Amino acid sequence: MEEKLQPIVQQLEQAFGVQASEYRGDVTLVIPRERIVEACQKMKDLGFELLSALTAVDYWPEENPRFHVIYQFTSVSQNLRLGFRVPVPGVQPTVPSVAHIYHNANWRERELWDMFGVKAEGHPDLRRILMPADWEGHPLRKDYPLGYEEPQFTFNFDEIDVRKPYAKE
Amino acid sequence: MPDIFEVTVDDLKHLVSERAVTGETMLLNMGPQHPSTHGVLRLLLELDGETVVNCIPDIGFLHTGIEKNMEAKTYQKAEVMTDRLDYLNTVGNNLAYCMAVEKLLDLDVPPRAQAIRVILTELQRIASHLVWLGTAALDVAAMSTFLYCFREREDILDILELVSGQRMMTTYIRPGGLWRDVPVEFEAAVRDFLKMFPKRIDQYEALLTRNPLFLDRTLGIGKISAEEALNLGVTGPLLRAVGVKWDLRKARPYSGYEQYEFEVPTRTEGDVYARYLVRVQEMRESLKIVEQALNKLPMGPVRSNNRKYVPPPRSEIGVSMEALIHHFKLWTEGFNAPKGYVYSAVESPRGELGVYLESDGGPHPYRVHWRTPSFDNLQALPLMAKGHLIADLVAIIGSIDIVLGDIDR
């Protein structure tokens, strides 16, 4: 762990009663869902100006927690990086929105909703962002199948063409 | 479900001002098919006459599900898709992905491979800035610059073709090193470019930097403060144009950038003109890096010797049984990466390009997330555009240098 990061991590560990882990130099803290807004505010106060990434991982078929929401912070002034992980259960997955603290979380949380179906509570404008507005399902979930197009050959062209989903005539 | 999905003004009430609901201001769609949106970007504009009151970007038209697709491929095969994200920074995308994989595997990269990576990514940065300069100048009606920029970009693409066989989708950088060593003509080709290009930058600057028409269209347009920029996650030349000296190549050096001397150009004005100056200066700095890297290009292998992750050279396969087995295993089932997750970032021409990579111990990435710089940079557009004319909005979009493949992934 970088020397400058140690006091910050210790402070966070005490404030939130968690244990930091390190893997290949990346320091991560697992923050309980109820305290993530408080933790993000704390990060902002500690001089982490940039919310670099906000995304999630789906551990389906595991249910509790099914998702880990990932926050990656960067401090431009101190040249430091730190990550948060927030476990979220599979039934009615939500996280509190941090868009009022880091403004770019606005689109990132919309992407989180669009791709994983994890709702950001208190978000000012929670709509789908990448998929069409009337899309069903959340593509980056592990139980969402990866689609493919059936290849047509001369011998079965018509047979496949009948059930192929595209505009005909 | 209805066949046509309709959105009424009521659905957008929280995004537009009250005057739009009463019909006092006009709602207008700009794009997705519009020459100045640099791809398929749709902007919903609320206009008071010609002045932008609100600007609501609508993205996703180029969403290709690359993150989902990468989960179904092995680590080596998933790399091919990374070229298609930000199609103006293909080598940089490869580098970001390979660095994340190498960090996950704790894999070493030989110094020669690192130096060649730096040369190619810097050339790619120049090529990307050339596309930006050409199209951004075209947006403010400077046609000739566009033609000159694309002429020079062609030279860089020729160099990429020389080393990889492909002009754009190179996939030349591989986990653990490079696909193969550069051909003998490489050094001469890069030296020719280094000799020719500084004069060309002077020519672009002669056309634009003190051109009164260009100044009228760019000075004081699309201003943003440093605090707002950081809060919106803006990185890259946009952030440096508001006076924040933040460049990952300098701040957190990777791939041997600490060996090279170069400046990080910054401006404080934060308008379209400042972004222009920063990017033009960046091209000159990139040339410096390429020259230094080429001068002290070390000899040696270009691929890691770790056979569990990196395929053996072709010459070994015919004589070594182990090499044949490794080759076969690596190209059929791939390698099993250790369980864990890493976040690794590089400085792309547009800002911080980060890759979050998680492994469950198998041969496929469990989750790949691309933290693409354009995604956050575009979020700053509504703030920059507020109160400006539509014509200025076009100049602002040009100055952000968005690539829709980078935003929609």
Side-chain angles (χ1 to χ4, degrees), chain A residues 3-42:
Chain A
E3 222 173 86
K4 280 187 290 178
L5 197 58
Q6 271 168 5
I8 293 171
V9 170
Q10 270 170 14
Q11 209 178 324
L12 287 165
E13 278 177 341
Q14 276 168 9
F16 297 98
V18 291
Q19 190 69 44
S21 67
E22 193 176 352
Y23 183 75
R24 305 266 192 253
D26 289 355
V27 183
T28 314
L29 288 113
V30 179
I31 303 282
R33 177 161 62 151
E34 306 79 53
R35 302 191 70 184
I36 185 64
V37 175
E38 194 190 331
C40 282
Q41 187 61 52
K42 181 105 186 157

Side-chain angles (χ1 to χ4, degrees), chain A residues 68-144:
Chain A
H68 270 187
V69 180
I70 295 147
Y71 299 75
Q72 193 73 40
F73 301 94
T74 306
S75 170
V76 169
S77 49
Q78 302 162 76
N79 190 10
L80 294 172
R81 279 196 196 285
L82 193 63
F84 281 174
R85 292 172 85 84
V86 177
V88 174
V91 185
Q92 289 192 338
T94 55
V95 280
S97 169
V98 296
H100 58 287
I101 303 169
Y102 291 99
H103 290 173
N104 65 326
N106 188 323
W107 281 19
R108 297 254 164 222
E109 279 169 353
R110 279 175 68 188
E111 194 193 340
L112 193 67
W113 159 244
D114 193 359
M115 290 292 144
F116 288 94
V118 178
K119 255 197 169 122
E121 276 177 338
H123 189 282
D125 176 30
L126 198 64
R127 295 175 291 143
R128 281 187 183 272
I129 186 163
L130 294 176
M131 303 305 282
D134 55 349
W135 193 263
E136 278 175 37
H138 302 283
L140 276 177
R141 286 187 172 193
K142 288 281 176 186
D143 54 355
Y144 187 98

Side-chain angles (χ1 to χ4, degrees), chain B residues 16-17 88 104 107 120 134 139-140 155 165 236 265 283-284 290 303 314 365 369 373 401 406:
Chain B
V16 294
S17 75
L88 295 182
L104 187 70
L107 198 61
L120 291 178
D139 285 343
V140 292
D155 292 338
M283 288 202 270
R284 294 188 197 274
V290 173
R303 256 195 274 187
R314 183 71 188 82
H369 173 69
D401 188 21
D406 200 30

